[in-house]
Amino acid sequence: MSFTWTPHRFSGGALALDVANSVVLRHDDERRIDRFEAHGQMESFPKAAANFCAERTLFGDILPVKRENRADFISLRDMIDRYFRARILGEAADLFLADLLAALARVLRQASANGLDAATVHSTLRLIAMPDPERMKICRNCGWLFIDRSKNKSRAWCDMAVCGNRAKASRHYRRKKEETAP
Ligand SMILES: [Zn+2]
């Protein structure tokens, strides 16, 4: 399957969330897609992140994760999602935080300078300590994690132009159907 890392893929508002969001529809067993499993995508992600990620000015160039470190990086990615999702939902997130911290330490010990792995660790640490955690949300349409930087903290979608429009279109469709129903 051909696929490109468009700006939409970096709607998370932080590198660590964009990494976690490389799994699309994570909680839908039938439709879930892991973008990092497709050939070459783990190599092309860092360059796109350096261009589109909200934290790009912090990192400059980002290099791919070394092949031998990828398995640990992928398990870190999944812990990032698990911890922050639990925190947003008000579940027992501290249990997952312990696992996440262990994964961060493991990845950081082997990470290369300017590597996606090191950058993701630093991004995650900032998110753990963010002063306004209520701004982190789950997109109502696609399930991605994102940071709502809007003034009144009212954003419901990772990307208004994609998920917001899709939600609006399906609402419109439902209304039309109801109106025309006999
Ligand atoms: Zn979305």
Side-chain angles (χ1 to χ4, degrees), residues 76 103-112 117-119 121-122 125:
L76 169 63
L104 288 166
R106 191 166 56 241
V107 166
L108 190 57
R109 263 187 217 113
Q110 65 197 16
S112 38
D117 38 10
V121 167
H122 287 284
L125 291 171

Side-chain angles (χ1 to χ4, degrees), residues 8 139 141-144 157-159 163:
H8 168 62
C139 176
N141 183 58
C142 71
W144 273 356
W157 301 289
C158 67
D159 183 341
C163 286

Side-chain angles (χ1 to χ4, degrees), residues 35-180:
R35 296 293 188 195
F36 282 171
E37 274 178 7
H39 180 72
Q41 297 305 331
M42 278 200 77
E43 284 80 8
S44 56
F45 180 88
K47 197 166 182 211
N51 282 328
F52 302 133
C53 168
E55 291 178 310
R56 58 190 175 274
T57 52
L58 293 172
F59 298 118
D61 282 347
I62 306 174
L63 303 175
V65 179
K66 283 192 211 141
R67 199 161 284 278
E68 64 269 28
N69 296 337
R70 286 193 188 163
D72 283 337
F73 179 71
I74 292 298
S75 74
L76 169 63
R77 174 190 68 173
D78 297 338
M79 304 239 187
I80 290 170
D81 186 90
R82 197 163 59 172
Y83 166 66
F84 288 115
R85 204 171 284 275
R87 190 172 82 173
I88 294 165
L89 296 172
E91 292 164 0
D94 274 356
L95 293 173
F96 298 136
L97 180 57
D99 291 341
L100 175 58
L101 292 171
L104 288 166
R106 191 166 56 241
V107 166
L108 190 57
R109 263 187 217 113
Q110 65 197 16
S112 38
N114 297 329
L116 174 64
D117 38 10
T120 301
V121 167
H122 287 284
S123 173
T124 305
L125 291 171
R126 263 196 304 280
L127 293 174
I128 290 170
M130 70 193 279
D132 40 9
E134 72 281 2
R135 285 190 183 274
M136 197 188 288
K137 297 180 178 176
I138 299 169
C139 176
R140 270 190 222 165
N141 183 58
C142 71
W144 273 356
L145 303 177
F146 71 97
I147 297 174
D148 174 8
R149 300 231 178 266
S150 67
K151 222 183 237 172
N152 53 5
K153 304 182 189 175
S154 61
R155 236 174 88 196
W157 301 289
C158 67
D159 183 341
M160 189 59 214
V162 177
C163 286
N165 278 342
R166 240 170 246 166
K168 259 199 272 181
S170 75
R171 256 206 315 275
H172 181 74
Y173 172 78
R174 272 201 309 273
R175 232 184 357 250
K176 276 270 169 250
K177 228 169 100 180
E178 276 159 26
E179 278 169 13
T180 53

Side-chain angles (χ1 to χ4, degrees), residues 2 10 12 15 20 23 25 30 55 104 112 115 133 173 179 181:
S2 125
F10 298 88
L15 180 66
V23 180
L25 299 166
E30 282 174 9
E55 291 178 310
L104 288 166
S112 38
Y173 172 78
E179 278 169 13

